[in-house]
């Protein structure tokens, strides 16, 4: 049943496409999102109607629209940052596609959020709870979800459920946030001359021994719950004729079950320490922590997204396990998921592209999902505590 809000959503696609281009062309590498954040703040201010519009000290932008008591208060987040360096990021248009760095991940997500903000200002449906629309920093790479983590803290007590928006994810709904822990593991020794000090412990050899020792701990391919471990980087040593005084590796452990991650890390640590023994100093330094969690397929928040697809000529979505801003909210016990706006390919490469055709349905889908979720009685979306 078309109403004023639906009609406003249905008109949005062309302006969302243009907004996606503008946002993409403002570089926003993780930790340098400030200029893009300021642009988004300006757009939100232009749309108007907010009870509060704020930018925090790390450049998260958040616009609050108060609603009806007793209904679900929803935090909606689209990340501002990209994996690309701070340089010009032009967008090219060709036959139903936009190609550019970060165009779908996540310029489109931010643009669609602005579109929905506009539709809300024009014709907000009745009976919605409070809405906090946020464009946040630090989702990619070493950002470690710092933007959304900050929002979860700052707005604690002001929202009940969380929705992340990712441009590419039109036909995926995230049910699982894959937890990951990243560490830099280093071994140091006294080192010395390869001839004169021969016999002293070599840090490279010790690290190699330690890596070999954790080989039997590698999770089986295909194991459930899916768990992976990877030594992705190794470096060390000084010269061919120096007993290596240092060696370092980077380790990534992931699982759909967050408890597996911590227990596997514990085993890795013990095993590596035993392997190195007294011969060298070993240190673990955490370089990344993506928390995780799950939401049930029949949770009202997931149903809100599924219901929003009705009549929009969209395929049955795939329920997936992912690593998005929703992970942090799931970890904190909030019902949370991630939805998208269109389809595309090659994210995190300079060849990244999105299809513009589905954006019309995608924006309606997002706008309806937000309204459906914010209309739920607060009692339908309790926070999970004590996990
Ligand atoms: Zn993303």
């Amino acid at each position: 049943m078309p109403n004023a809000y639906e009609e406003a959503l249905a008109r949005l696609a062309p302006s969302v496409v243009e907004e996606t281009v503008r946002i993409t062309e403002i570089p926003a590498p993780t930790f340098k999102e400030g200029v893009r954040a300021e642009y988004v703040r300006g757009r939100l201010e232009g749309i108007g109607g907010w009870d509060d519009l704020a930018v925090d000290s790390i450049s998260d932008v958040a616009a609050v629209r108060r609603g009806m008591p007793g209904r679900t208060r929803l935090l909606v987040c689209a990340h501002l940052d990209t994996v690309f360096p701070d340089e010009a990021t032009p967008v090219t248009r060709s036959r139903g596609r936009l190609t550019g760095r970060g165009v779908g991940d996540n310029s489109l997500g931010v643009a669609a959020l602005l579109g929905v903000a506009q539709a809300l200002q024009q014709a907000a449906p009745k009976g919605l709870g409070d809405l906090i629309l946020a464009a946040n920093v630090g989702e990619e790479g070493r950002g470690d979800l710092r933007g959304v983590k900050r929002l979860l803290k700052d707005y604690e007590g002001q929202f009940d459920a969380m929705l992340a928006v990712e441009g590419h994810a039109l036909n995926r709904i995230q049910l699982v946030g894959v937890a990951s822990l990243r560490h830099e593991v280093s071994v140091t020794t006294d080192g010395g001359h390869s001839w004169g000090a021969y016999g002293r412990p070599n840090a490279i050899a010790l690290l190699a021994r330690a890596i070999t020792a954790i080989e039997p701990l590698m999770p089986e391919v295909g194991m459930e719950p899916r768990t992976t471990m990877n030594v992705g980087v190794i470096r060390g040593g000084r010269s061919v004729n120096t007993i290596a005084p240092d060696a370092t590796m980077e380790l990534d452990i992931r699982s759909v079950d967050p408890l597996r991650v911590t227990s596997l890390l514990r085993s890795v640590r013990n095993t590596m320490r035993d392997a190195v023994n007294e011969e060298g100093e070993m240190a673990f330094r955490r370089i990344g922590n993506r928390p995780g969690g799950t939401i049930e397929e029949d949770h009202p928040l997931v149903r809100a997204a599924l219901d929003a697809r009705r009549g929009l000529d969209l395929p049955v979505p795939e329920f997936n396990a992912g690593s998005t801003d929703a992970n942090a909210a799931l970890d904190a016990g909030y019902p949370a998921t991630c939805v998208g706006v269109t389809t595309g390919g090659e994210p995190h490469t300079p060849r990244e592209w999105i299809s513009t055709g589905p954006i019309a349905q995608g924006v309606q889908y997002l706008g309806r999902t937000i309204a459906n979720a914010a209309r739920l009685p607060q009692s339908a979306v309790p926070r999970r505590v004590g996990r």
Side-chain angles (χ1 to χ4, degrees):
M1 22 108 226
N3 57 37
Y5 178 59
E6 295 263 339
E7 280 165 16
L9 291 171
R11 285 192 300 266
L12 283 172
S15 64
V16 168
V17 170
E18 294 313 310
E19 192 70 275
T20 301
V21 173
R22 282 194 293 272
I23 291 170
T24 306
E25 293 183 344
I26 306 170
T30 309
F31 300 113
K32 287 186 183 172
E33 300 95 337
V35 178
R36 189 178 283 188
E38 183 48 36
Y39 172 76
V40 170
R41 191 203 61 78
R43 297 289 297 122
L44 286 165
E45 192 173 71
I47 291 165
W50 307 108
D51 293 292
D52 189 31
L53 174 59
V55 183
D56 67 26
S57 63
I58 58 173
S59 293
D60 290 317
V61 186
V64 182
R65 191 186 173 90
R66 301 264 169 244
M68 193 175 158
R71 298 294 167 92
T72 294
R73 300 165 304 167
L74 191 65
L75 170 63
V76 189
C77 292
H79 72 87
L80 290 162
D81 59 321
T82 73
V83 297
F84 301 102
D86 197 359
E87 57 190 40
T89 48
V91 176
T92 56
R93 308 170 191 233
S94 66
R95 284 169 288 123
R97 278 189 181 194
L98 296 180
T99 303
R101 299 171 176 201
V103 69
D105 183 14
N106 191 25
S107 301
L108 175 61
V110 176
L113 191 72
L114 290 172
V116 173
Q118 202 168 356
L120 284 166
Q121 173 64 356
Q122 283 166 8
K126 294 211 168 19
L128 307 188
D130 293 356
L131 290 172
I132 305 170
L133 305 189
N136 59 281
V137 303
E139 193 272 343
E140 302 284 6
R142 300 283 278 260
D144 219 17
L145 307 185
R146 71 189 195 120
V148 71
K149 284 175 182 170
R150 167 79 179 259
L151 292 168
L152 293 175
K153 216 172 258 162
D154 286 357
Y155 290 90
E156 179 160 19
Q158 297 180 54
F159 70 96
D160 306 297
M162 186 270 195
L163 196 64
V165 186
E166 285 279 351
H168 286 280
L170 177 58
N171 297 325
R172 298 191 296 269
I173 295 177
Q174 186 186 352
L175 294 188
V176 176
V178 178
S180 74
L181 261 185
R182 293 163 186 179
H183 282 80
E184 188 181 81
V185 187
S186 59
V187 176
T188 49
T189 62
D190 290 339
H193 196 282
S194 64
W195 177 258
Y198 184 65
R200 286 191 194 162
N202 179 309
I204 291 177
L206 292 177
L207 183 64
R209 191 201 288 167
I211 292 171
T212 308
I214 59 171
E215 199 72 15
L217 299 177
M218 291 280 173
E220 298 276 337
V221 174
M223 78 165 274
E224 291 293 335
R226 185 166 183 221
T227 305
T228 64
M229 179 157 88
N230 184 52
V231 176
V233 174
I234 184 163
R235 55 182 171 262
R238 289 288 185 278
S239 72
V240 69
N241 56 348
T242 303
I243 296 166
D246 48 41
T248 303
M249 67 174 218
E250 289 179 11
L251 178 74
D252 173 84
I253 300 177
R254 304 180 179 216
S255 180
V256 298
D257 176 2
L259 294 176
R260 294 264 168 173
V261 175
T262 41
S263 70
L264 184 53
L265 176 67
R266 207 173 310 124
S267 311
V268 165
R269 215 187 262 267
N270 293 338
T271 305
M272 291 187 82
R273 281 198 199 283
D274 285 348
V276 169
N277 210 347
E278 304 288 279
E279 295 173 64
E281 286 281 318
M282 172 167 273
F284 276 71
R285 188 167 70 89
R286 198 169 80 181
I287 55 174
N289 174 23
R290 260 176 199 244
T294 56
I295 187 168
E296 302 71 37
E297 197 177 317
D298 59 355
H299 190 283
L301 182 65
V302 177
R303 306 268 6 146
L306 288 172
D307 290 347
R309 299 176 78 85
R310 281 210 198 112
L312 285 180
D313 193 24
L314 291 171
V316 175
E318 173 203 335
F319 290 127
N320 76 326
S323 185
T324 69
D325 282 320
N327 285 40
L330 287 167
D331 177 68
Y334 296 101
T337 186
C338 176
V339 298
V341 187
T342 190
T343 54
E346 306 249 18
H348 294 199
T349 78
R351 300 175 301 281
E352 180 176 356
W353 61 274
I354 53 171
S355 295
T356 49
I359 290 176
Q361 290 110 299
V363 173
Q364 292 179 75
Y365 166 52
L366 177 64
R368 287 180 178 188
T369 300
I370 290 171
N372 288 350
R375 210 178 271 125
L376 292 167
Q378 233 172 343
S379 55
V381 291
R383 184 175 178 187
R384 217 175 323 192
V385 283
R387 58 177 289 282

